[in-house]
Amino acid sequence: MIKRTYVSFSNRLKISTKLCLLIIFIEVINQFTGGFFRSFGIIPRNISGLSGIVFAPFLHGGLVHLISNLVPLFVLTLLMLSHGRTRFVLVFTTSALIGGLLVWFFGRSANHIGMSGVIYGLFGYLVVAGFISREFKLFIVSCLVAFVYGGLILGVLPTLPQVSFESHLFGLLVGIAMAFILGKDPSYKS
């Protein structure tokens, strides 16, 4: 088990801001290249689409798609860092990589891009881990996330053809699994 470490609020703000600025920077370059980077998304069951598992979270279908992901990414990253930097990195990368691999295996034939799979992973972790941790502060974070972002759960349903509900679903499942794996801090005394 990985011990939870403290990350100051100012460092949480810096990390969340830098992550969002990186994604904005990539989208600005993408806009100037006519959307060239979008071709590096996850294309299920296609060998060339495997690289999308790494690149897809940082690519977006335009400014509206980008903006719709920035606010929840910023807020959930900020809250996820209350579980520690190492746990944040593990949940973020596992949601991106394992979630992306599941999309590659089971997703519909489309080009899957965007940070929403990771956002759903962070959401799933935050909602479940606070209950598992038995720590009041993290329990309150779980309740807050469930209340504010509970509507995300509808995103795992296949409602719009241009939305990768598969990324949402697999990101959420990976985040919940990571909560059960990492959620309880072994140093916590009841």
Side-chain angles (χ1 to χ4, degrees), residues 97-118:
L97 299 178
I98 303 298
L101 188 61
L102 290 168
V103 169
W104 188 84
F105 275 114
F106 303 110
R108 16 181 195 127
S109 253
N111 185 15
H112 300 261
I113 57 173
M115 187 58 74
S116 55
V118 173

Side-chain angles (χ1 to χ4, degrees), residues 38-58:
R38 290 186 197 120
S39 63
F40 294 101
I42 300 169
I43 302 169
R45 296 164 303 283
N46 184 317
I47 296 300
S48 67
L50 274 171
S51 64
I53 293 170
V54 173
F55 299 120
F58 300 96

Side-chain angles (χ1 to χ4, degrees), residues 133-145:
S133 73
R134 299 186 336 217
E135 290 185 47
F136 183 71
K137 177 184 96 170
L138 298 178
F139 172 76
I140 294 301
V141 168
S142 287
C143 292
L144 178 67
V145 169

Side-chain angles (χ1 to χ4, degrees), residues 70-137:
L70 282 178
V71 172
L73 177 65
F74 181 84
V75 172
L76 295 175
T77 296
L78 194 67
L79 293 172
M80 181 67 212
L81 285 164
S82 65
H83 289 262
R85 191 182 317 245
T86 303
R87 288 177 187 224
F88 166 72
V89 169
L90 285 171
V91 173
F92 185 97
T93 56
T94 305
S95 297
L97 299 178
I98 303 298
L101 188 61
L102 290 168
V103 169
W104 188 84
F105 275 114
F106 303 110
R108 16 181 195 127
S109 253
N111 185 15
H112 300 261
I113 57 173
M115 187 58 74
S116 55
V118 173
I119 291 168
Y120 274 78
L122 298 175
F123 168 76
Y125 181 90
L126 285 167
V127 169
V128 175
F131 290 96
I132 293 171
S133 73
R134 299 186 336 217
E135 290 185 47
F136 183 71
K137 177 184 96 170

